[in-house]
Amino acid sequence: MSARQTSERAASVPASAEWARQPERSNMAMLRLMAWLSLRLGRPAGRVVLHLIAAYFFLFAPSARRASRAYLPRALGRPARIGDGYRQVFSFAATIHDRVYLLKDRFDLFDIRIEGEALIRDQIASGEGALLFGAHVGSFEVIRAIGRTQPGLKVALAMFEDNARRINSLLAALNPSASPEVIALGKLDAMLRIHARIEDGALVGVLADRSLGDELRRPVKLLGTAADLPVGPFRMAAMLGARIIFMAGLYHGGNRYTIRFEPIADFSEVGRHEREAAIDAAMQAYAAALERCCHDAPSNWFNFFDFWNDFGPTGSAQSR
């Protein structure tokens, strides 16, 4: 067994699927009420209620607070304050709240900047599909705004459907025409469907920072410390010979967002013997792009679980 195989096998043991085991905190009646109030009273009134919801989550979600304390000093470069933790929780709540409007195509309510738009324009013009690798950072829905300036854009999502499916079903009900094609990862035909969409010139979005517990992971430096990231999305890109483009929709407070695209890797001309080295390089490039997002918008990190395996036997974040 090689050193890399040993590393991957060992990395798959920790609570990498902790996020999938966490219960959904969404209450369907509350979410429906929130959507109703937001659409009828407007976004400013909805955000008043949002502060109450964020405060409740901040006070009564101790595991999320521990995860926040483990993450924020890495992103901020200093000890985290209470206000930093609340700002992170509120940013999470705000991006969920804004989905109500973004799925209703109310892009006029937002000030949205786009970085790397030429990259997407050139990809569409080439007629070739690609993989868009994102993370649980910022808002995915705001990325749909790129479709306003790139009418030929075709997008599909490859994702785990179970976690938070109630909130997704509610938001999809707001505007069925806005719901993209979803390819369920873990099903036998997932790779074939992804390949078919790429062949058709579509961009297939994947959130590449999480996996289920039985998926191999590899340590990659992220915010100064090794973090175990899933290898599967990158091996999929290598097998498909696809290009990887990093994507993120960063929330800056108020109504301000930045959509960011960066080139990560191109496996179209990578030979079989070069594949593992190319996967390593792609994972490092992905982690570097993700790290830049964390520094530029620290409150946008929405992995509220033990991402770096920091928690000791007592469940508290260990100091480093």
Side-chain angles (χ1 to χ4, degrees), residues 8-62:
E8 287 179 350
R9 183 179 294 275
S12 68
V13 175
S16 57
E18 180 184 343
W19 67 270
R21 295 194 299 269
Q22 290 180 350
E24 295 177 16
R25 289 187 168 271
S26 56
N27 178 281
M28 207 59 181
M30 178 60 73
L31 286 171
R32 291 188 184 278
L33 175 61
M34 194 70 196
W36 187 88
L37 289 173
S38 299
L39 293 173
R40 282 156 182 78
L41 300 182
R43 188 170 177 269
R47 285 172 67 85
V48 172
V49 179
L50 201 63
H51 277 286
L52 299 176
I53 295 173
Y56 175 86
F57 185 84
F58 181 70
L59 292 172
F60 298 105

Side-chain angles (χ1 to χ4, degrees), residues 137-200:
V137 170
S139 167
F140 176 80
E141 281 75 21
V142 76
I143 297 173
R144 293 178 54 246
I146 192 72
R148 294 184 300 166
T149 58
Q150 304 296 331
L153 181 64
K154 295 181 285 187
V155 176
L157 299 180
M159 59 184 294
F160 298 108
E161 292 182 296
D162 290 340
N163 200 46
R165 61 185 177 276
R166 289 186 294 174
I167 188 171
N168 285 329
S169 65
L170 170 66
L171 296 171
L174 292 171
N175 187 357
S177 64
S179 299
E181 175 188 359
V182 175
I183 301 172
L185 293 176
K187 293 189 176 181
L188 294 176
D189 65 341
M191 183 74 79
L192 293 176
R193 291 181 62 189
I194 292 171
H195 177 68
R197 299 303 288 131
I198 290 177
E199 287 287 298
D200 190 41

Side-chain angles (χ1 to χ4, degrees), residues 237-250:
M239 291 174 63
L240 295 174
R243 187 181 190 187
I244 301 175
I245 297 173
F246 178 84
M247 64 174 181
L250 301 178

